[in-house]
């Protein structure tokens, strides 16, 4: 099967206009240099420190190669770094041997740089059985590529968002529990949608509305004793900061307490206790069995 270019893959998920807008916003908000990455992570770490919690930051291996020591510094400040592909390419379009080769090479580079590497999130949240097998054989302990879509009001949902859910292979949170599960000796951790990309770029909603939706997702997962993976891309940290702070405040007030942690701190056998996991990810699914 031929491998499509990253531009072609991004266009499938976002449409041509959405893909061009995404490229512009990455440059404007996030930048392409280690210095900008350093500033963004520094601000994010300071914010999380106020709530005594960490985060998981999936990055491509190519980004690690350009980071010039930035990643190593933040690993010691309660940030977990997971692999987000060697390059930002759709693994489902690659033959198995290439997937395995890149997954192994990614782990080796992380380890050579002294970065603990236990988890994987596929670019574009797209996966298939071959990708999961490659991830397991490469020695990763968990995969967090399964998109799990929570219901949102009809007036907010757009055609573009529905297209994205189909592209991701998202399943409904009404039908599947938001819990980690074992899949052939690999822990699968769901990724909750809508995320910051949907809020800011697809829905163009206010901070107030964003906060309402995230708080609603928190409450629903809390009542069900499930897991809320709060996904926040680095270039939107400042844009989403008020909503994130409000969610962190609410989570801290919950009784019984909410466990706010990183993805690699996997639960014991999927035991049903309230959990809140924060992930910070670069722009990036197989339905549960």
């Amino acid at each position: 099967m031929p491998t499509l270019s990253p531009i072609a893959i991004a266009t499938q998920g976002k449409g041509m206009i959405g893909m061009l807008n995404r490229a512009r916003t990455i440059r404007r908000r996030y930048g392409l240099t280690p210095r900008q990455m350093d500033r963004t992570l520094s601000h994010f770490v300071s914010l999380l420190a106020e709530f005594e919690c960490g985060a998981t930051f999936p990055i491509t291996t190519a980004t690690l190669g350009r980071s010039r020591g930035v990643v190593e510094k933040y690993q010691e400040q309660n940030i977990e770094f997971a692999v987000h592909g060697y390059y930002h390419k759709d693994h489902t379009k690659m033959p198995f041997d290439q997937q395995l080769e890149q997954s192994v090479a990614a782990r080796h580079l992380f380890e050579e740089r002294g970065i603990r590497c236990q988890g994987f999130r596929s670019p574009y949240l797209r996966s298939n059985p071959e990708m999961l097998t490659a991830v397991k054989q490469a020695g990763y302990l968990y995969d967090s590529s399964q998109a799990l879509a929570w219901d949102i009001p009809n007036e907010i949902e757009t055609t573009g968002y529905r297209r994205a859910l189909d592209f991701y292979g998202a399943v409904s949170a009404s039908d599947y529990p938001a819990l980690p599960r074992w899949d052939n000796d690999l822990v699968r951790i769901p990724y909750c949608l809508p995320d910051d990309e949907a809020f800011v770029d697809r829905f163009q909603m206010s901070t107030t509305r964003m906060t309402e939706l995230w708080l609603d997702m928190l409450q629903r997962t809390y009542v069900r004793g499930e897991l809320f993976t709060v996904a926040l891309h680095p270039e939107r940290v400042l844009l989403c900061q008020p909503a994130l702070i409000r969610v962190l405040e609410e989570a801290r007030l919950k009784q019984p307490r909410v466990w706010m942690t990183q993805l690699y701190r996997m639960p014991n056998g999927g035991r049903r206790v309230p959990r809140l996991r924060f992930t910070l990810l670069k722009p990036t699914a197989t339905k549960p069995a």
Side-chain angles (χ1 to χ4, degrees):
M1 180 181 296
T3 301
L4 298 180
S5 71
I7 292 177
I9 295 296
T11 301
Q12 286 183 15
K14 304 175 186 299
M16 179 58 71
I17 295 176
M19 186 273 294
L20 294 174
N21 287 339
R22 173 66 173 157
R24 285 194 293 266
T25 55
I26 287 175
R27 287 180 176 272
R28 184 177 70 251
R29 299 178 194 152
Y30 185 46
L32 301 176
T33 66
R35 180 178 298 177
Q36 180 63 32
M37 179 182 179
D38 193 1
R39 285 199 295 265
T40 300
L41 282 176
S42 177
H43 178 78
F44 189 72
V45 167
S46 297
L47 189 158
L48 293 178
E50 297 178 18
F51 295 87
E52 300 180 344
C53 64
T56 297
F57 185 9
I59 59 173
T60 64
T61 311
T63 299
L64 173 62
R66 298 191 301 266
S67 69
R68 302 175 190 172
V70 172
V71 172
E72 292 89 332
K73 177 171 66 174
Y74 288 103
Q75 180 180 243
E76 303 307 319
Q77 298 184 47
N78 213 17
I79 297 292
E80 175 202 3
F81 290 91
V83 171
H84 192 40
Y86 202 98
Y87 303 103
H88 202 273
K89 295 183 177 181
D90 185 353
H91 281 232
T92 67
K93 302 299 183 181
M94 299 179 189
F96 174 77
D97 289 347
Q98 185 179 3
Q99 291 191 52
L100 180 58
E101 179 184 9
Q102 291 198 8
S103 297
V104 170
R107 285 206 73 209
H108 285 170
L109 183 57
F110 272 65
E111 290 169 356
E112 287 172 6
R113 294 281 292 270
I115 306 299
R116 295 184 296 273
C117 174
Q118 300 183 16
F120 185 89
R121 174 170 290 145
S122 63
Y124 310 107
L125 299 176
R126 287 169 62 81
S127 64
N128 59 16
E130 290 76 20
M131 189 217 80
L132 296 173
T133 299
V135 167
K136 183 184 68 174
Q137 290 188 11
Y140 299 89
L141 299 182
Y142 74 81
D143 168 76
S144 182
S145 306
Q146 176 62 67
L148 186 70
W150 291 84
D151 293 336
I152 58 175
N154 291 334
E155 65 271 18
I156 294 176
E157 191 169 289
T158 64
T159 301
Y161 181 61
R162 293 304 315 175
R163 179 175 60 235
L165 294 185
D166 291 340
F167 180 67
Y168 298 151
V171 297
S172 172
S174 298
D175 299 327
Y176 296 94
L179 289 171
R181 63 188 178 89
W182 284 104
D183 187 344
N184 197 18
D185 293 330
L186 188 69
V187 176
R188 305 291 309 284
I189 302 175
Y191 175 99
C192 292
L193 291 167
D195 58 2
D196 64 304
E197 180 182 15
F199 290 155
V200 175
D201 294 342
R202 297 186 188 277
F203 303 151
Q204 298 180 350
M205 63 175 44
S206 67
T207 300
T208 299
R209 195 71 178 101
M210 184 189 313
T211 303
E212 291 173 353
L213 288 181
W214 259 349
L215 287 175
D216 180 62
M217 291 165 69
L218 169 62
Q219 181 60 23
R220 282 189 280 176
T221 51
Y222 184 82
V223 168
R224 290 164 48 164
E226 296 179 355
L227 177 151
F228 178 20
T229 304
V230 182
L232 178 56
H233 292 68
E235 75 270 18
R236 300 191 192 90
V237 168
L238 292 178
L239 291 170
C240 301
Q241 179 172 309
L244 177 61
I245 290 175
R246 186 68 189 88
V247 169
L248 288 167
E249 290 174 340
E250 182 64 22
R252 190 166 60 177
L253 292 173
K254 293 287 189 186
Q255 292 293 334
R257 294 182 60 186
V258 168
W259 180 28
M260 296 188 286
T261 188
Q262 298 145 312
L263 293 179
Y264 83 95
R265 298 182 182 276
M266 293 167 288
N268 248 339
R271 185 166 51 92
R272 282 178 175 264
V273 296
R275 304 178 184 93
L276 180 62
R277 293 170 185 267
F278 289 93
T279 67
L280 179 64
L281 56 153
K282 293 288 286 182
T284 44
T286 303
K287 294 185 179 181

